[in-house]
Amino acid sequence: MEITFSDARVWRYIFSSASKFMDSLLLTVNEEGLTVKGIDPSKTALIEFTIPKDSFDKFEIGGESTVQINLEEAGKVLRSVERDDKISLRWNESSITFIFENRGVPRYFTLPLQTEETQKIPELSLELGNTFKMPGDALYEGITGIEGVGEVLLIEGDEGMLKLRSESDLGEAEIVFSTEKGILEEAAVKNPGFSVSYGMEYFTYLKQPIKIAENAVLKAESDMPAELTLTFIQDAKLKYYVAPRAE
Amino acid sequence: MMQEYKVRNKLWPRPSIIYLRDEIYGPSPPSVYVGWRNYPKVVIGPSIARESEHASLYDYPESWLGIGLGELIKMRLSMIYGLRKANIEDVWSYGILKLQEIALSNKPVDIEMNVLRKGLIRPMLTRELPPLGPRTILQSLRIAGNVSLEKPIERVYYDTDLRANEAIIELYLNKVPISRIQKALSVGALGAMRVRKLVPTRWAITAVDDIISKELVKRVKELKELNEFLLYVGYGYDNLFIAILMPGPWNFEWMEAWFPGSAWNTEGTKVSIESDWEGPKGRTTYPSIGGCYYASKLAVAEHLVNGLRREATVMLYREIYEGFNIPVGVWFVREFLRRLFKEKPRKFSSLLEVKEFLKKVTRVPVDIWWRKSYILRNYGKGRSLYEFIKKEKR
């Protein structure tokens, strides 16, 4: 089995972000393409990274296959990714090889695959009435601006407006994105005035992938998980779910 | 018999000038100190205990709680260290190999130190290290007695392919006391041949606590979660220790409240409260609260793995009162907690009940330190994605 994708940077940022709060990821390939899924030990956050088959430079698989990757080791390997690197993956029953290639010089890193019981990733059923679309770097700036203030991220929304808020003993910080100012590319709000809070760290973990995403779509609803969809080059997508806090 | 020495300035704990005869003979507990100043050019050398009968006790933190801190400090400050300069990579030199022999022994070793006649080195009291007695310059060293090595120590010492991390875990699983593993790491006796190095004693103490607790936490995460709230409360040596074990995934916090007049708040007028915590994935940065963090984490992880056999969310809290005004090292936290976990815990069905009970226990009002605790103020507030799972079609 071997697959090749043209931009290793996306993999690097996603794996390194996931390694901050997850132990392992499940990588599945089938006729549709690739899916990488993982959930954190406290079952608060879930990631689902997908790349359609046609977006790969090379996609040679002998049928559906799922392997479990230890994130601690894979995260270290992916840290060596350089700008303009391509990434190829080869695997068999016991090991996986990451190949990074730049200017015709491939670098090989082989890791043993995890053989423990495969983690179960739940299928979520969410009806989220409020959707906001913006450039990835705008959301990145928003999170960076308020993350130091408190450990809770409050998301609120109204017609044409999304508010990220945080407060603590230190004070209060608020970032407002609006369609009027042009930062929000789209805002479809079914339930104006909704308000929901999440652990700030779960958004901080994802800052790097958010920063390099072409766009970010955030769906939220009172008392419901947040769904953040990041779109990268060649239709690679990261869906990220975070459970709400019970305040 | 050790030859006599004289402390000219009797203002304890800072006798400033110590005159020694050229040769000192006596038992090393065993104990070898590696300094951290001027790293990688450090100082290293053995120490001699004042008496033969209980020599091993002089450098064996696992049994110090039983002897009282006053007695312990006197005992530790009576030890004499002979130190010489070394580069951390000199582990294969004849002089360091001799020191390794001493440090790895599981019984006191009689040694003869030839030292400079005059030494001007004060005793040292730090947060991480047990108190260190006076130190002088070592000119030559002779091992006069027999060295006795335990099997597991001997095995890892001669296995020059085994990585230091693996050696530390192997020794721990073979029930070698933590303090002996720390000594072995410090004198460069562990690890693959090319990378063996001397490790300053204070760093080795923290490194061993960290490596062992990480391994234990891996095992904790494989256990079933605790299904009730357990509370351990222990008081002693002007310290109050509280351990709250809660149902939930591994999360850990260590908090200390230093009262004015205690060792690390001598000049202050208010109680100084500090804490550090980690989630299920552990930390990537050194906790600002220092080595106690790792010592306490080791004690509780050990209890979860070997005692309760349950995974839990853990909050440890310590109040340090006025009477505890001399730092004695992180061993105190580790051993106090290990002893505390041998006691029977109080059981509660909610965290609120735990908080209510503690209102009568802590001197700092419970609301204050509770609010400062990341784990306590957030406990129970994180919901699970499993609440939003897709229902299977029938």
Side-chain angles (χ1 to χ4, degrees):
Chain A
M1 303 239 189
E2 183 166 344
I3 56 176
T4 303
F5 188 72
S6 60
D7 188 351
R9 240 175 13 135
V10 176
W11 289 69
R12 175 193 165 155
Y13 289 138
I14 290 174
F15 273 62
S16 118
S17 296
S19 72
K20 290 175 188 162
F21 60 110
M22 290 177 183
D23 296 322
S24 61
L25 287 175
L26 282 184
L27 183 151
T28 304
V29 287
N30 56 30
E31 281 312 309
E32 289 173 17
L34 165 128
T35 309
V36 180
K37 280 184 168 189
I39 188 161
D40 78 308
S42 60
K43 319 285 186 262
T44 307
L46 185 154
I47 68 167
E48 189 181 312
F49 176 50
T50 54
I51 305 178
K53 180 184 169 183
D54 295 341
S55 298
F56 284 92
D57 297 349
K58 184 177 184 182
F59 195 80
E60 292 175 359
I61 60 165
E64 180 159 325
S65 157
T66 298
V67 290
Q68 185 161 229
I69 301 172
N70 178 320
L71 262 176
E72 197 176 329
E73 299 307 322
K76 282 181 203 160
V77 164
L78 278 146
R79 251 179 255 155
S80 68
V81 163
E82 292 166 12
R83 202 184 163 86
D84 300 328
D85 269 353
K86 270 187 178 185
I87 180 170
S88 296
L89 268 70
R90 271 184 213 158
W91 65 94
N92 56 33
E93 282 172 2
S94 57
S95 66
I96 185 162
T97 303
F98 291 84
I99 307 154
F100 309 124
E101 188 171 340
N102 192 352
R103 292 190 290 269
V105 183
R107 310 185 308 276
Y108 296 80
F109 300 89
T110 300
L111 298 174
L113 285 169
Q114 267 188 272
T115 49
E116 299 103 72
E117 196 183 341
T118 310
Q119 59 168 329
K120 291 197 172 60
I121 315 285
E123 290 285 326
L124 300 178
S125 166
L126 305 174
E127 283 180 24
L128 305 168
N130 312 294
T131 305
F132 305 91
K133 186 176 176 187
M134 69 200 97
D137 55 357
L139 181 59
Y140 169 84
E141 293 295 338
I143 295 169
T144 305
I146 62 169
E147 66 182 338
V149 176
E151 60 216 23
V152 179
L153 172 68
L154 200 70
I155 298 184
E156 294 170 344
D158 245 315
E159 299 288 351
M161 189 266 291
L162 170 71
K163 219 188 260 182
L164 304 183
R165 239 165 28 91
S166 185
E167 53 187 54
S168 69
D169 294 346
L170 291 174
E172 198 179 321
E174 185 176 287
I175 303 275
V176 180
F177 300 101
S178 67
T179 44
E180 193 188 335
K181 297 264 171 77
I183 300 293
L184 276 187
E185 293 165 2
E186 287 170 28
V189 183
K190 278 190 188 163
N191 304 306
F194 80 89
S195 173
V196 55
S197 58
Y198 304 97
M200 178 68 84
E201 77 260 33
Y202 289 102
F203 286 84
T204 303
Y205 294 143
L206 259 272
K207 271 172 53 181
Q208 284 307 323
I210 291 173
K211 190 179 183 184
I212 61 159
E214 287 173 352
N215 62 60
V217 176
L218 177 66
K219 290 186 179 179
E221 184 68 78
S222 297
D223 212 27
M224 290 291 283
E227 180 191 298
L228 177 66
T229 306
L230 304 175
T231 306
F232 305 98
I233 60 157
Q234 288 184 293
D235 231 6
K237 274 196 171 61
L238 178 74
K239 281 204 173 203
Y240 182 56
Y241 299 92
V242 183
R245 280 170 61 92
E247 292 298 344
Chain B
M1 280 281 292
M2 193 177 84
Q3 294 192 16
E4 282 183 359
Y5 66 93
K6 186 174 166 189
V7 178
R8 176 160 291 185
N9 181 348
K10 287 190 174 173
L11 281 178
W12 182 84
R14 291 196 159 188
S16 50
I17 300 174
I18 295 149
Y19 291 87
L20 300 165
R21 293 193 180 175
D22 292 347
E23 282 172 11
I24 312 171
Y25 179 88
S28 182
S31 170
V32 174
Y33 172 72
V34 180
W36 77 94
R37 291 201 175 100
N38 297 322
Y39 185 89
K41 288 176 182 165
V42 295
V43 291
I44 182 170
S47 69
I48 286 181
R50 205 170 177 175
E51 52 172 328
S52 297
E53 201 180 338
H54 301 111
S56 61
L57 198 61
Y58 280 63
D59 204 28
Y60 190 54
E62 284 80 355
S63 63
W64 284 348
L65 276 186
I67 57 174
L69 292 186
E71 199 52 42
L72 167 73
I73 291 167
K74 264 191 219 164
M75 187 175 87
R76 290 285 305 176
L77 296 186
S78 74
M79 290 166 79
I80 300 171
Y81 287 79
L83 302 177
R84 67 174 189 80
K85 286 181 185 167
N87 192 296
I88 55 151
E89 287 176 357
D90 290 345
V91 288
W92 302 105
S93 69
Y94 176 70
I96 302 291
L97 288 172
K98 214 187 306 181
L99 289 171
Q100 288 176 350
E101 256 188 84
I102 296 169
L104 297 181
S105 176
N106 59 346
K107 288 182 188 157
V109 182
D110 285 338
I111 58 171
E112 189 180 296
M113 296 196 288
N114 198 304
V115 297
L116 271 195
R117 191 170 170 75
K118 277 186 183 179
L120 175 76
I121 305 178
R122 289 168 170 166
M124 184 164 61
L125 300 163
T126 72
R127 197 161 176 159
E128 282 81 18
L129 295 169
L132 285 185
R135 285 147 291 148
T136 185
I137 296 166
L138 178 69
Q139 291 191 306
S140 67
L141 171 71
R142 189 174 72 85
I143 299 177
N146 292 327
V147 171
S148 150
L149 262 63
E150 283 167 292
K151 273 265 154 49
I153 292 254
E154 195 174 352
R155 211 199 77 72
V156 298
Y157 180 51
Y158 289 109
D159 186 344
T160 50
D161 292 324
L162 190 67
R163 298 197 312 180
N165 280 21
E166 293 162 354
I168 287 166
I169 302 297
E170 186 176 322
L171 291 175
Y172 176 74
L173 295 177
N174 278 291
K175 303 200 182 316
V176 174
I178 302 271
S179 61
R180 203 166 293 149
I181 305 175
Q182 288 164 340
K183 270 181 244 177
L185 178 70
S186 181
V187 294
L190 305 180
M193 185 152 89
R194 281 164 187 263
V195 292
R196 283 193 184 184
K197 285 185 179 70
L198 298 176
V199 180
T201 304
R202 62 189 302 177
W203 300 352
I205 289 173
T206 300
V208 169
D209 280 340
D210 182 27
I211 290 164
I212 295 174
S213 60
K214 263 193 192 134
E215 176 64 26
L216 289 168
V217 167
K218 266 190 212 164
R219 293 166 192 226
V220 166
K221 283 154 74 175
E222 289 166 3
L223 299 170
K224 272 190 186 167
E225 280 183 17
L226 193 68
N227 55 9
E228 56 192 342
F229 293 81
L230 302 183
L231 174 68
Y232 299 79
V233 178
Y235 180 83
Y237 307 98
D238 287 308
N239 277 258
L240 171 74
F241 283 85
I242 287 172
I244 309 171
L245 275 48
M246 300 161 259
W250 167 261
N251 277 275
F252 170 78
E253 183 166 7
W254 169 245
M255 181 182 279
E256 289 180 330
W258 291 88
F259 277 66
S262 58
W264 292 103
N265 193 7
T266 47
E267 308 291 320
T269 52
K270 286 181 182 169
V271 179
S272 163
I273 303 178
E274 275 185 78
S275 80
D276 263 303
W277 68 279
E278 66 183 49
K281 286 287 288 176
R283 298 181 63 88
T284 51
T285 54
Y286 187 75
S288 60
I289 203 162
C292 283
Y293 182 90
Y294 296 106
S296 59
K297 182 173 147 186
L298 185 146
V300 71
E302 195 173 65
H303 179 54
L304 290 172
V305 172
N306 302 326
L308 296 174
R309 304 208 49 75
R310 284 283 183 270
E311 182 177 15
T313 296
V314 177
M315 163 66 193
L316 302 180
Y317 172 70
R318 175 187 178 199
E319 285 185 351
I320 306 104
Y321 303 128
E322 301 79 358
F324 192 82
N325 50 16
I326 293 179
V328 292
V330 299
W331 67 269
F332 176 72
V333 167
R334 184 177 50 247
E335 299 309 323
F336 198 106
L337 285 168
R338 278 175 150 182
R339 195 174 73 176
L340 180 64
F341 288 130
K342 285 186 183 143
E343 289 170 19
K344 225 175 163 187
R346 287 187 172 81
K347 295 180 179 182
F348 297 89
S349 56
S350 77
L351 192 55
L352 214 63
E353 287 175 21
V354 176
K355 190 176 177 185
E356 200 53 40
F357 177 86
L358 287 174
K359 279 184 179 165
K360 293 169 218 149
V361 177
T362 61
R363 266 174 62 184
V364 176
V366 73
D367 280 332
I368 291 181
W369 62 269
W370 204 272
R371 209 169 45 235
K372 282 184 182 282
S373 157
Y374 179 86
I375 284 183
L376 294 177
R377 69 174 179 259
N378 285 299
Y379 185 78
K381 291 194 172 160
R383 290 175 64 185
S384 160
L385 284 173
Y386 276 78
E387 292 175 39
F388 306 93
I389 250 171
K390 197 178 266 181
K391 300 272 185 305
E392 282 182 20
K393 285 176 192 168
R394 292 192 173 181

